[in-house]
Amino acid sequence: MTHPSRTGGQILVDALKIHGVDIAFGVPGESYLDVLDALHDSGIRFIINRQEGGAAYMAEAYGKMTGRPGVCFVTRGPGATNAAIGVHTAYQDSTPMILFIGQVGTDFMDREAFQEIDYRRMYGQMAKWVAQIDRAERIPEYLARAFQVATSGRPGPVVLALPEDMLVSLASVADTRRYQPVQASPSDAQVATLRSMLAAAERPLVLLGGGTWNLQACADLRRFAEANALPVACAFRFQDLLDNAHPNYVGDVGIGINPKLAARIKNADLVIAIGPRLGEMTTGGYSLIEAPLPRQRLVHIHPDAEELGSVYQAELMIASGAPQACAMLAAMAPVDPGAWRHSVAEARSELAAYQEQPPIFKDASAPLDLWQLVQQVMAAVPRDTILTNGAGNYATWAHRFYRYGGMRTQLAPTSGAMGYGLPAGVAAKIVNPERTVLTFAGDGEYMMNGQELATAVQYRAGLVVIVFNNSMFGTIRMHQERNYPGRVSGTELHNPDFAALAQAYGAHGEVVERSDQFGPALERALAWTRERQLPAVIELRYDGNLITPNATLETIRRQAQAARAAG
């Protein structure tokens, strides 16, 4: 059988279409011009970004939203190094993603040619697979493997380097079939063991997180929790795996955890962890669940067999994707929840108390009440609104007080990466133009990828961005006051007028400094995005002393100074 001769770039784009790619993100480079040409009439949307870090973040957000690999193209050297932050985020967040990097020609290789990097060495520790395609006739094979690796087992990023001369060479080669993700499933014996452990428990708790989830898995998990009256918590930045209004949802397990929920986890006699790696953020520095041998009986379900037992010696370890495990748990005969029948209602009451207005705002002296702001947001936007954020103390206001509507309404990096919120929001709106998209961004975080507002304007992605401007790197300042009270160094910021900057991009922009200004400003921003299909930015200017819901910077400083004086 003969096949028409095609350039490497054309073979690659044809393979992307076979694997269902509809959108790719990137910054153009001369190292992959033939791919750009093949994309021209391919039907694949190529979203042009303003910096490769933003492009990689958008691809990662696409992978989170869809469960399909987010595709990103960057050029060699500087483009590849800029994109590294998105690859690292995809790896730590277990997100399927494929990064294509234009590479120097094979005839120039290993001479430290212009912008040359050995990507196997550069990306080796932050990707599931890194390879270089040296022959055009092997492109279909490499792409099929890339999609397979990115989506099977624990999802994650794959990096493929594309030598420039390979992309313009001609080859006659057959295409492959579309990839088929592979996940393990629990055995009947493992489910029976889990059921026996649950039947013997008095204080069980379910903990959700990680990759491989889809709508059906979430629905099956909900049925399992309801049938067995189980309290369900969600790992750090996976709060959307169960609708937060569901009576079995008892809170999130991460930074700023409800102390009473932390106590419940520590005192549980059975923890059923479905999907999470049980990393540092989720386990409170490996204190809620002690490593390597937990005090609680632990069932750990994870798609990667190599993850199981790597940190925790769980009593029952099951290699399985979330859809496969939850389907079997939903079909499992329920147990009598007599011993813990009232625990869900008690934990829900504790969650409600934790989400009440914090004391720092109850005296009404602060002009801008950030707790009230979140209440107004929830009242103004639909339940399926997608809320995105990056890293920073400002994110606490969303994580603690916002009630996520279910999968996929939260996009945030478990890797703790700054600069994620805006690119993720733009990608979310491009992929889901019919849904409301809201981005929370700190002032320091926003400035790391604020240029992607131009991408939002170019592609008429009408999201609303709320910039929390306290003129500092707040999280670092908070730690600074705890460890070096009163010695401010390297954390103060001088910011632009974010509202005016948004207007310069062609977006709507306004400033809010008082609580009574926010509701009308949000209404105007939402109306603008609906009518113009363009982004809107609301800049919140507020007292940086209000650093967390639990304590002000002044309180943290005084406590640290008192501790030093006493000891």
Side-chain angles (χ1 to χ4, degrees):
M1 187 180 214
T2 60
H3 303 278
S5 184
R6 296 171 287 174
T7 67
Q10 187 64 57
I11 295 170
L12 188 147
V13 171
D14 289 345
L16 292 179
K17 292 168 66 176
I18 287 169
H19 294 303
V21 174
D22 54 357
I23 295 178
F25 304 89
V27 177
E30 71 272 18
S31 59
Y32 67 97
L33 284 175
D34 202 71
V35 174
L36 290 171
D37 183 70
L39 285 169
H40 180 269
D41 52 4
S42 66
I44 297 173
R45 294 184 71 190
F46 183 64
I47 304 300
I48 306 164
N49 292 96
R50 301 310 175 98
Q51 206 258 14
E52 291 86 357
Y57 274 148
M58 288 194 192
E60 196 279 343
Y62 177 97
K64 268 196 177 85
M65 282 183 290
T66 67
R68 304 190 301 273
V71 172
C72 183
F73 283 94
V74 299
T75 196
R76 60 192 178 230
T81 53
N82 283 342
I85 191 168
V87 176
H88 178 257
T89 298
Y91 191 77
Q92 287 227 320
D93 288 38
S94 302
T95 303
M97 174 182 170
I98 301 176
L99 176 68
F100 293 99
I101 305 172
Q103 174 63 300
V104 302
T106 56
D107 51 342
F108 288 178
M109 227 157 257
D110 297 324
R111 295 175 174 173
E112 197 186 347
F114 181 60
Q115 300 179 337
E116 181 184 4
I117 295 176
D118 182 343
Y119 298 111
R120 291 184 180 91
R121 292 168 62 195
M122 175 183 168
Y123 281 105
Q125 206 173 5
M126 66 173 91
K128 289 188 71 177
W129 181 45
V130 187
Q132 180 170 295
I133 310 176
D134 290 328
R135 299 180 63 87
E137 60 265 28
R138 295 192 65 186
I139 290 174
E141 170 197 342
Y142 273 84
L143 261 70
R145 180 176 173 183
F147 278 86
Q148 199 71 35
V149 170
T151 58
S152 297
R154 175 187 170 186
V158 167
V159 178
L160 291 179
L162 310 171
E164 191 172 356
D165 56 341
M166 181 277 296
L167 289 175
V168 298
S169 65
L170 294 171
S172 177
V173 61
D175 292 317
T176 64
R177 299 185 182 94
R178 185 168 177 166
Y179 73 101
Q180 300 178 42
V182 175
Q183 294 292 342
S185 296
S187 68
D188 291 338
Q190 287 173 323
V191 174
T193 301
L194 186 154
R195 187 183 184 282
S196 296
M197 294 172 69
L198 181 58
E202 295 184 354
R203 299 177 304 280
L205 183 138
V206 176
L207 178 59
L208 311 180
T212 76
W213 290 87
N214 56 30
L215 289 172
Q216 186 59 53
C218 292
D220 287 338
L221 180 282
R222 188 170 62 248
R223 282 193 289 274
F224 168 66
E226 291 169 350
N228 296 279
L230 290 166
V232 179
C234 292
F236 181 57
R237 291 181 170 166
F238 288 102
Q239 286 166 258
D240 61 346
L241 294 179
L242 181 63
D243 189 329
N244 295 180
H246 192 280
N248 291 71
Y249 176 79
V250 298
D252 63 297
V253 183
I255 298 173
I257 185 174
N258 181 353
K260 292 193 174 181
L261 177 57
R264 282 187 176 274
I265 296 171
K266 285 184 176 182
N267 294 328
D269 60 355
L270 174 64
V271 173
I272 303 173
I274 307 175
R277 289 190 301 113
L278 297 177
E280 176 189 354
M281 291 297 100
T282 299
T283 62
Y286 307 101
S287 63
L288 299 180
I289 303 174
E290 293 179 2
L293 194 62
R295 295 191 308 272
Q296 310 93 330
R297 300 183 81 185
L298 176 62
V299 177
H300 194 185
I301 303 173
H302 193 274
D304 185 358
E306 292 186 3
E307 180 66 29
L308 296 168
S310 65
V311 177
Y312 288 101
Q313 291 184 301
E315 187 168 333
L316 177 60
M317 294 179 279
I318 302 175
S320 175
Q324 293 76 16
C326 291
M328 295 186 73
L329 292 176
M332 185 187 83
V335 302
D336 179 9
W340 65 85
R341 186 175 299 279
H342 302 294
S343 65
V344 171
E346 292 167 356
R348 285 285 293 181
S349 296
E350 293 166 358
L351 173 62
Y354 193 59
Q355 291 181 326
E356 290 178 355
Q357 187 179 34
I360 61 173
F361 290 125
K362 284 186 177 178
D363 62 4
S365 63
L368 185 59
D369 183 335
L370 299 178
W371 176 84
Q372 185 61 44
L373 178 148
V374 177
Q375 309 309 307
Q376 291 176 293
V377 167
M378 288 191 294
V381 300
R383 288 285 294 157
D384 69 345
T385 293
I386 301 171
L387 179 59
T388 77
N389 64 266
N393 267 16
Y394 73 90
T396 303
W397 301 103
H399 292 353
R400 177 168 168 179
F401 300 110
Y402 188 85
R403 290 186 285 277
Y404 295 90
M407 191 179 181
R408 183 52 89 186
T409 57
Q410 182 183 33
L411 290 175
T414 67
S415 66
M418 294 179 72
Y420 181 89
L422 179 60
V426 176
K429 191 62 179 179
I430 289 173
V431 175
N432 300 279
E434 75 289 350
R435 290 173 66 180
T436 300
V437 177
L438 193 67
T439 291
F440 278 20
D443 50 348
E445 196 243 349
Y446 181 82
M447 289 297 288
M448 291 187 177
N449 271 313
Q451 75 281 346
E452 297 304 338
L453 194 66
T455 305
V457 172
Q458 180 170 348
Y459 295 98
R460 305 190 76 82
L463 74 159
V464 175
V465 184
I466 301 177
V467 179
F468 290 69
N469 181 6
N470 59 7
S471 299
M472 69 177 75
F473 285 120
T475 301
I476 311 306
R477 174 69 179 277
M478 177 184 70
H479 291 305
Q480 195 169 61
E481 294 288 3
R482 284 175 176 160
N483 293 280
Y484 307 96
R487 296 177 60 82
V488 180
S489 175
T491 53
E492 294 175 304
L493 295 174
H494 175 74
N495 288 317
D497 183 327
F498 290 107
L501 185 60
Q503 293 168 13
Y505 277 109
H508 174 77
E510 58 182 295
V511 174
V512 166
E513 297 180 295
R514 301 192 317 271
S515 296
D516 63 343
Q517 296 174 335
F518 179 73
L522 179 61
E523 186 177 336
R524 287 189 293 271
L526 291 169
W528 169 277
T529 61
R530 286 192 301 267
E531 295 165 6
R532 309 286 186 94
Q533 287 80 55
L534 288 170
V537 174
I538 301 174
E539 177 189 349
L540 307 177
R541 295 178 184 170
Y542 65 99
D543 183 0
N545 187 46
L546 304 172
I547 197 67
T548 74
N550 296 327
T552 64
L553 280 177
E554 291 175 359
T555 301
I556 294 169
R557 185 186 308 120
R558 284 198 306 269
Q559 290 174 343
Q561 290 171 335
R564 286 194 168 197

